[in-house]
Amino acid sequence: AVAAGGKDAWKKHALEFLRASNYAGIAFGHAGCAAVHAMAYPLGGVHHIPHGQANQLMFADVMRKYQEKKPIGKLNQLEELLGAELDVEPVFSLENLYKLMDEVLKKDPLHEHGVTADELPVFAKNVIETQQRLLGNNYVELSEDDLLDIYRKAF
């Protein structure tokens, strides 16, 4: 859809998007969600950013924190899969995914959505206090300071 260009280019792939969305829902229901979703909730609750877009705003920075904290592990399997799909070396796969995501929907800094710097520590604390159900599914344990660092990078 990105290669075809144009705002409505995705429509000719609508059935594939629907199938992918369905598989994602099944996967989420089976495996659960983690920090990306947990950190997206305050963005939607306070600033009314749609949940899918809020997830996209958090995704790359959460994944980069995962890489920073545990560069060797199951994350490498994801890099292998993405590398094959995106036709790049696995080490470059996540950054290439982020670029592709930006072509679909540009990742704006959080401040462009009305988020203020003062809210970031409040959001990090709130996520730690209210989203343990999701945070328990993380690739690595994330502290409140880690969450704050992620929010600041996305800011």
Side-chain angles (χ1 to χ4, degrees):
V2 169
K7 181 178 177 184
D8 294 327
W10 68 272
K11 289 181 181 179
K12 66 177 125 184
H13 300 282
L15 290 177
E16 294 166 86
F17 280 104
L18 182 59
R19 185 178 303 113
S21 177
N22 188 43
Y23 287 146
I26 292 168
F28 290 165
H30 176 70
C33 298
V36 172
H37 283 265
M39 296 182 76
Y41 283 123
L43 302 177
V46 175
H47 292 281
H48 310 290
I49 300 169
H51 188 63
Q53 184 178 11
N55 280 287
Q56 186 258 2
L57 294 173
M58 299 311 309
F59 183 79
D61 294 302
V62 168
M63 294 300 289
R64 287 180 180 124
K65 180 59 79 173
Y66 286 168
Q67 285 180 296
E68 173 190 318
K69 292 191 77 157
K70 189 174 180 183
I72 307 298
K74 286 185 177 182
L75 190 59
N76 303 121
Q77 294 172 1
L78 175 61
E79 292 170 327
E80 290 281 339
L81 290 168
L82 288 172
E85 190 66 31
L86 298 173
D87 197 28
V88 298
E89 291 296 318
V91 69
F92 302 117
S93 64
L94 285 169
E95 290 301 323
N96 275 266
L97 176 64
Y98 309 148
K99 289 176 190 171
L100 177 59
M101 290 170 65
D102 277 347
E103 289 184 50
V104 175
L105 179 64
K106 185 167 180 345
K107 178 187 181 284
D108 296 319
L110 295 180
H111 68 266
E112 289 187 18
H113 293 274
V115 177
T116 66
D118 291 342
E119 290 175 303
L120 303 179
V122 175
F123 288 171
K125 182 176 179 59
N126 175 270
V127 169
I128 287 291
E129 291 176 350
T130 66
Q131 297 298 327
Q132 288 301 314
R133 170 183 64 87
L134 298 178
L135 295 178
N137 294 325
N138 282 343
Y139 173 65
V140 296
E141 186 174 335
L142 296 175
S143 68
E144 187 174 331
D145 287 338
D146 290 328
L147 298 180
L148 181 55
D149 185 50
I150 294 166
Y151 277 128
R152 285 182 173 148
K153 286 181 174 148
F155 184 72

